[in-house]
């Protein structure tokens, strides 16, 4: 079978040693002629799209086309595209994450952050995650069996350029998967913040942060949680920014007046320099 992709760039947020990254490489080798790995050297779960601006990045090449980076998934994508690869990749794959990236957790996911960084660079990107139950082994064979063909099908059909595709495989053996659903993340699975306070050997406090989960409140097959609960592979296109201007309006002239801003001569003001430092 021919391979639809010339060059693919892989990253994740679990670190390059994780079993999910091995599954991702197997998937990539089925669909791409060149497979490049640029992954964090340590677990970077929860970093979203953050980049390292307060310390330098160290890169270690441990095999041909395989690099580890002392940074985040987004660092890996930026370094890979701008420095480490000989040319821009045709596709970015991020994952396969150990655990689902669904509902509220989408905003925090380093796996999805890596994919969205690719989208901002104009590169098609897909995040892949394998759901599991803590009392059972992770069904890596499910994402392994369906991953490559699913990526092929998505590439053939396409998706909006301003979206990354978020794929979640259900916590089932391959033969028990019941189908595929296009769905969306849904707010409501975070029920609060969980903070564990500890003290070091000098009595100085430190804290572990986490969330209280309540995913049972999210229902409906149109949601990613509901689709996984029904044994379906959940496909969710996600965007970096989601404009709400079509559904939310206020009177901006009235607001300007309340702020004491004179808008009478607004149309006569020349455009400012478009370059903004940030």
């Amino acid at each position: 079978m021919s391979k639809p992709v010339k060059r693919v760039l892989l990253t994740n947020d679990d670190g390059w040693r994780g079993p999910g990254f091995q599954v991702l490489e197997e998937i990539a080798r089925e669909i791409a002629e060149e497979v490049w790995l640029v992954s964090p050297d340590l677990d970077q779960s929860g970093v979203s799209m953050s980049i390292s601006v307060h310390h330098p990045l160290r890169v270690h090449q441990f095999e041909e086309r395989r690099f580890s980076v002392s940074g985040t998934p987004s660092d890996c994508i930026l370094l890979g595209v701008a420095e480490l690869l000989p040319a821009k990749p045709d596709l970015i794959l991020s994952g396969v994450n150990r655990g689902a990236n669904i509902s509220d957790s989408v905003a925090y996911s380093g796996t999805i952050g890596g994919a969205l960084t690719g989208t901002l660079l104009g590169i098609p990107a897909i995040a892949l995650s394998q759901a599991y139950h803590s009392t059972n082994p992770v069904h890596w064979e499910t994402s392994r069996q369906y991953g490559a063909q699913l990526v092929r099908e998505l590439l053939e059909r396409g998706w909006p350029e301003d979206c990354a595709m978020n794929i979640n495989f259900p916590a089932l053996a391959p033969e028990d998967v019941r189908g595929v659903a296009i769905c969306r993340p849904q707010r409501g699975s975070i029920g609060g913040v969980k903070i564990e306070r500890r003290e070091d050997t000098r009595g100085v406090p430190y804290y572990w942060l986490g969330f209280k989960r309540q995913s049972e409140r999210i229902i409906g097959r149109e949601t990613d949680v509901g689709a996984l609960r029904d044994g379906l592979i959940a496909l969710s296109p996600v965007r970096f920014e989601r404009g709400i201007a079509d559904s939310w309006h206020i009177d901006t002239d009235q607001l300007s007046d309340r702020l004491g801003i004179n808008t009478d001569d607004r149309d006569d003001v020349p455009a400012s320099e478009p370059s903004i430092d940030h």
Side-chain angles (χ1 to χ4, degrees):
M1 184 181 294
S2 63
K3 298 182 178 181
V5 177
K6 166 67 176 176
R7 181 178 295 109
V8 62
L9 172 58
L10 311 185
T11 196
N12 71 349
D13 71 356
D14 291 332
W16 64 272
R17 301 172 184 84
F21 206 42
Q22 298 173 22
V23 174
L24 187 68
E25 186 174 1
E26 293 177 31
I27 291 171
R29 294 201 179 280
E30 289 190 41
I31 59 101
E33 297 175 16
E34 286 185 18
V35 178
W36 293 75
L37 286 70
V38 184
S39 173
D41 54 11
L42 298 173
D43 192 323
Q44 294 287 326
S45 298
V47 300
S48 188
M49 293 182 70
S50 65
I51 59 173
S52 301
V53 295
H54 298 293
H55 59 80
L57 294 170
R58 305 292 182 183
V59 177
H60 172 62
Q61 181 173 2
F62 51 95
E63 288 181 22
E64 184 181 8
R65 299 176 182 170
R66 299 166 71 94
F67 302 84
S68 66
V69 177
S70 62
T72 69
S74 291
D75 291 332
C76 293
I77 296 300
L78 296 176
L79 271 172
V81 173
E83 178 70 18
L84 302 177
L85 272 65
K88 187 176 179 180
D90 305 295
L91 176 69
I92 287 171
L93 298 178
S94 183
V96 175
N97 192 67
R98 184 177 183 272
N101 276 305
I102 49 177
S103 64
D104 309 271
S105 67
V106 167
Y108 297 94
S109 167
T111 301
I112 294 176
L116 284 173
T117 300
T119 300
L120 291 181
L121 298 176
I123 304 168
I126 302 174
L128 302 96
S129 301
Q130 177 63 59
Y132 72 98
H133 300 297
S134 58
T135 55
N136 298 319
V138 181
H139 287 289
W140 292 116
E141 68 273 17
T142 301
S143 47
R144 179 181 288 111
Q145 176 164 323
Y146 295 115
Q149 186 59 32
L150 185 52
V151 170
R152 282 179 179 271
E153 296 291 336
L154 289 173
L155 290 172
E156 182 177 328
R157 287 161 173 76
W159 63 89
E161 293 182 357
D162 61 343
C163 293
M165 187 62 65
N166 181 27
I167 301 176
N168 282 279
F169 297 95
L172 298 170
E175 62 271 17
D176 295 325
V177 175
R178 300 176 59 191
V180 181
I182 297 176
C183 47
R184 55 178 169 77
Q186 174 68 47
R187 288 180 57 200
S189 72
I190 295 178
V193 180
K194 180 171 57 178
I195 299 178
E196 184 173 329
R197 183 185 186 277
R198 299 181 185 180
E199 291 186 358
D200 64 20
T201 56
R202 296 175 295 173
V204 179
Y206 65 95
Y207 302 89
W208 285 106
L209 302 180
F211 291 117
K212 299 175 182 177
R213 300 292 185 180
Q214 52 182 23
S215 58
E216 68 279 357
R217 296 184 58 182
I218 299 179
I219 58 175
R221 189 170 287 186
E222 73 280 1
T223 68
D224 48 18
V225 176
L228 291 179
R229 188 182 291 127
D230 288 347
L232 304 171
I233 299 173
L235 306 182
S236 306
V238 293
R239 285 192 175 99
F240 168 67
E241 64 175 344
R242 299 179 179 180
I244 62 170
D246 292 338
S247 59
W248 181 80
H249 299 278
I250 61 173
D251 187 330
T252 54
D253 287 335
Q254 182 186 67
L255 179 59
S256 297
D257 184 62
R258 287 181 175 273
L259 293 172
I261 300 172
N262 181 9
T263 62
D264 293 340
D265 300 324
R266 182 168 55 190
D267 294 337
D268 297 330
V269 177
S272 60
E273 167 60 44
S275 178
I276 300 174
D277 293 331
H278 63 295

